[in-house]
Amino acid sequence: VAPSARAIAMATARAIAGALSRRPWTTRARRATTTTTTTRARGGGGDARDDAGTSTRDAREEPRERGREDEDADARTDETVAATTRRAHRPGAFGRLPNVSPAEQLIASAVKRAGRVTPTRGLKDAARERNKSAKQLDALTTGVCKPLKEYVKGFPPPERLHPFERALLELTLSDKKYRTTLAAVDSMRKGMLGIGKGYASQVTKTTALKEAEEMREKGFAEMEAYYRKYARCVDDLKSIAKLLRKLPVAELETPTVALVGAPNVGKSSLVRVLSSGLPEVCNYPFTTKGIKMGHFFVDDERHVVTDTPGLINRSEADRNKIEMLTIATLEHLPTCVIFVTDLTGLSGTSIDDQLQLREELYKQFAERRPWIDVFSKSALVPVLGGETDPDTQELWSEEDVKEAERAMAQIPNATATSADEGRGIDELKERIMKLLHEHKRTLPKSDDDYSPDYSGTEALPAYIPML
């Protein structure tokens, strides 16, 4: 006899109730509650009062613990943000720039790859053509937009650069050109994305094979025309990357000695005699004169010695780009300064102008940068013990001698050197070694914060093509 509906319902309800009663998590919770209740009952009223007091104290302590946990969490978050910011300002960003393909090569490669895309198997006639056309349009869109997106992402915003690299960017290219080129490439990417997705969507709505094919061809033609209209910004970005990669990388953890002074005072000659090997020449795009950079070792540790572009005694507002490179080096790199003064009168800059320049830089940087003064070409200066031939001796008037003596009185701790004859070089090296040992203690660690304050943002200017 078939069971009645009522009997079936009652049996189902009993089965569900039994299953719920056998849930392991419910059983464990019930056992824990029963055990706690029994223990408190056996302990008597005193235990109950103790439990009540403990619960009250726990209730008071819980907000405090939560407060401390929140503070610890906030501190960890702040440390994470600070570490991320520090990493963003590490030097060497220009060496990590992406390789940008030539504009024409990029579009030709994308069109070629898109043309090889085949339709999904099993489709026929119009459905097959719709599928093929939509996939090829998507492939062309991806083939162009994905590299452009990676290019833009790979070029850091100027405010995330190390201050020295940002100064080099401004001297080499300018923030304006850098930003506008990146904005133009990103704008073109968005335009290509819109065109490609739009035509791919229209293809799926076609009903005839020929209509889908024509829509695909029209989409390809419009995307290629749009790309080539703005392709110049891609080539500009490639030129920018090539330009910036040539810039020297700031070695923030390597003790560095920078020779500073007026033009033609003998800085490059001192770099040569202080270096262990042949100094390399670092070329900057904004000057035809290379900057010599050498190295030497102290206790098997590498140190860098470099000359800097000569400075003219004038206000900072009147300095040219090559002079501003020297100021950027002193301002943003942890260097030891060796200021070189030429007392021969042969450099083209008067002694008074050199002394005024030194005074200006000393006030600006001496408190932040270790400083050594040097008199160069001492073999040609009688008051520095130089032995000159009779013809050269006649060039020194009484006023010239007094002017040189005034400079010596104004800078009493200067070391007299002569690179060609090797005079005073050992004494200078000894002073440099001692200074570097002290200076090393103040060098930043690899994760120190190099962040400048660039809180203000300017409106993005219009795109300016490279000349």
Coordinates of all heavy atoms in Angstrom, one line a residue, residues 16-45:
I16 N 15.0 15.3 9.0 CA 15.7 16.6 9.1 C 16.1 17.0 10.5 O 17.2 17.4 10.8 CB 14.8 17.7 8.4 CG1 14.6 17.5 6.9 CG2 15.4 19.1 8.7 CD1 13.7 18.4 6.3
A17 N 15.1 16.7 11.4 CA 15.4 17.0 12.8 C 16.6 16.2 13.4 O 17.4 16.7 14.1 CB 14.1 16.8 13.7
G18 N 16.6 14.9 13.0 CA 17.7 14.1 13.4 C 19.0 14.5 12.8 O 20.0 14.5 13.5
A19 N 19.0 14.9 11.6 CA 20.3 15.4 11.0 C 20.8 16.7 11.7 O 22.0 16.8 11.9 CB 20.0 15.7 9.5
L20 N 19.9 17.6 12.0 CA 20.3 18.8 12.7 C 20.8 18.5 14.1 O 21.8 19.1 14.6 CB 19.1 19.8 12.8 CG 18.6 20.4 11.5 CD1 17.4 21.2 11.7 CD2 19.7 21.3 10.9
S21 N 20.2 17.5 14.8 CA 20.7 17.2 16.1 C 22.1 16.6 16.1 O 22.7 16.6 17.1 CB 19.7 16.3 16.8 OG 19.6 15.0 16.1
R22 N 22.4 16.0 15.0 CA 23.7 15.3 14.9 C 24.8 16.2 14.3 O 25.9 15.8 14.1 CB 23.6 14.1 14.0 CG 22.8 13.0 14.6 CD 23.0 11.7 13.8 NE 22.5 11.8 12.5 CZ 21.2 11.6 12.1 NH1 20.3 11.2 13.0 NH2 20.8 11.7 10.9
R23 N 24.6 17.5 14.1 CA 25.6 18.4 13.6 C 26.8 18.5 14.6 O 26.5 18.8 15.8 CB 25.1 19.8 13.3 CG 24.2 19.8 12.1 CD 23.7 21.2 11.8 NE 22.9 21.8 13.0 CZ 22.4 23.0 13.0 NH1 22.6 23.8 11.9 NH2 21.7 23.4 14.0
P24 N 28.0 18.2 14.2 CA 29.1 18.2 15.2 C 29.4 19.5 15.8 O 29.7 19.6 17.0 CB 30.3 17.8 14.3 CG 29.9 18.1 12.9 CD 28.4 17.9 12.8
W25 N 29.2 20.6 15.1 CA 29.5 21.9 15.7 C 28.5 22.3 16.8 O 28.8 22.9 17.7 CB 29.6 23.0 14.6 CG 28.4 23.2 13.8 CD1 27.3 23.9 14.1 CD2 28.1 22.5 12.6 NE1 26.3 23.8 13.1 CE2 26.8 23.0 12.1 CE3 28.8 21.6 11.8 CZ2 26.2 22.5 10.9 CZ3 28.2 21.2 10.6 CH2 26.9 21.6 10.2
T26 N 27.2 21.9 16.5 CA 26.1 22.1 17.5 C 26.4 21.3 18.8 O 26.3 21.7 19.9 CB 24.8 21.8 16.9 OG1 24.6 22.5 15.8 CG2 23.7 22.1 17.9
T27 N 26.8 20.0 18.6 CA 27.1 19.1 19.7 C 28.2 19.7 20.6 O 28.2 19.7 21.8 CB 27.4 17.7 19.2 OG1 26.4 17.2 18.4 CG2 27.7 16.8 20.4
R28 N 29.4 20.1 19.9 CA 30.5 20.6 20.7 C 30.1 21.9 21.4 O 30.5 22.1 22.6 CB 31.6 21.0 19.7 CG 32.4 19.7 19.2 CD 33.7 20.1 18.5 NE 33.5 21.0 17.4 CZ 33.4 20.5 16.1 NH1 33.4 19.2 15.9 NH2 33.3 21.3 15.1
A29 N 29.3 22.8 20.9 CA 28.9 24.0 21.5 C 28.0 23.7 22.7 O 28.2 24.3 23.8 CB 28.1 24.9 20.6
R30 N 27.1 22.6 22.6 CA 26.2 22.3 23.7 C 27.1 21.7 24.8 O 26.8 22.0 26.0 CB 25.2 21.3 23.2 CG 24.1 20.9 24.2 CD 23.2 19.9 23.7 NE 22.4 20.4 22.6 CZ 22.6 19.8 21.4 NH1 23.4 18.8 21.2 NH2 21.9 20.3 20.3
R31 N 28.1 20.8 24.5 CA 28.9 20.2 25.5 C 29.7 21.3 26.3 O 29.8 21.3 27.5 CB 29.9 19.2 24.9 CG 29.2 17.9 24.5 CD 30.2 17.1 23.7 NE 29.5 15.8 23.3 CZ 30.1 15.0 22.5 NH1 31.4 15.2 22.1 NH2 29.5 13.9 22.1
A32 N 30.2 22.3 25.6 CA 31.0 23.3 26.2 C 30.2 24.1 27.1 O 30.6 24.5 28.3 CB 31.6 24.3 25.1
T33 N 28.9 24.4 26.8 CA 28.0 25.2 27.6 C 27.7 24.4 28.9 O 27.6 24.9 30.0 CB 26.7 25.6 26.8 OG1 27.1 26.3 25.6 CG2 25.8 26.4 27.6
T34 N 27.4 23.1 28.7 CA 27.0 22.3 29.8 C 28.2 22.2 30.8 O 28.0 22.3 32.0 CB 26.6 20.9 29.3 OG1 25.6 21.0 28.4 CG2 26.2 20.0 30.5
T35 N 29.4 22.0 30.3 CA 30.6 21.9 31.2 C 30.8 23.1 32.0 O 31.0 23.1 33.2 CB 31.8 21.5 30.3 OG1 31.6 20.4 29.6 CG2 33.0 21.4 31.2
T36 N 30.7 24.3 31.3 CA 30.9 25.6 32.0 C 29.9 25.8 33.1 O 30.2 26.2 34.2 CB 30.8 26.7 31.0 OG1 31.8 26.5 30.0 CG2 31.1 28.1 31.7
T37 N 28.6 25.4 32.8 CA 27.5 25.6 33.8 C 27.7 24.7 35.0 O 27.6 25.1 36.2 CB 26.2 25.3 33.1 OG1 26.0 26.2 32.0 CG2 25.0 25.6 34.1
T38 N 28.1 23.5 34.8 CA 28.3 22.5 35.9 C 29.5 22.9 36.7 O 29.4 22.9 38.0 CB 28.6 21.1 35.3 OG1 27.5 20.7 34.4 CG2 28.7 20.1 36.4
T39 N 30.6 23.4 36.1 CA 31.7 23.8 36.9 C 31.4 25.0 37.8 O 31.8 25.0 39.0 CB 32.9 24.2 35.9 OG1 33.2 23.1 35.1 CG2 34.1 24.6 36.7
R40 N 30.7 26.0 37.3 CA 30.3 27.1 38.1 C 29.4 26.7 39.2 O 29.4 27.3 40.4 CB 29.7 28.2 37.2 CG 30.7 28.9 36.3 CD 30.0 30.0 35.5 NE 31.0 30.7 34.7 CZ 30.7 31.6 33.8 NH1 29.4 32.0 33.7 NH2 31.6 32.2 33.1
A41 N 28.5 25.8 39.0 CA 27.5 25.3 40.0 C 28.3 24.7 41.2 O 28.0 24.8 42.3 CB 26.5 24.4 39.4
R42 N 29.2 23.8 40.8 CA 30.0 23.1 41.9 C 30.9 24.1 42.6 O 31.2 23.9 43.8 CB 30.9 22.1 41.2 CG 30.1 20.9 40.7 CD 31.0 19.9 39.9 NE 30.3 18.8 39.4 CZ 30.8 17.9 38.6 NH1 32.1 18.0 38.2 NH2 30.1 16.9 38.1
G43 N 31.3 25.2 42.0 CA 32.3 26.1 42.7 C 31.6 26.9 43.8 O 32.2 27.6 44.6
G44 N 30.3 27.0 43.8 CA 29.6 27.8 44.9 C 29.5 29.2 44.5 O 29.9 29.7 43.4
G45 N 29.0 30.0 45.5 CA 28.7 31.4 45.2 C 30.0 32.2 45.1 O 30.1 33.2 44.3

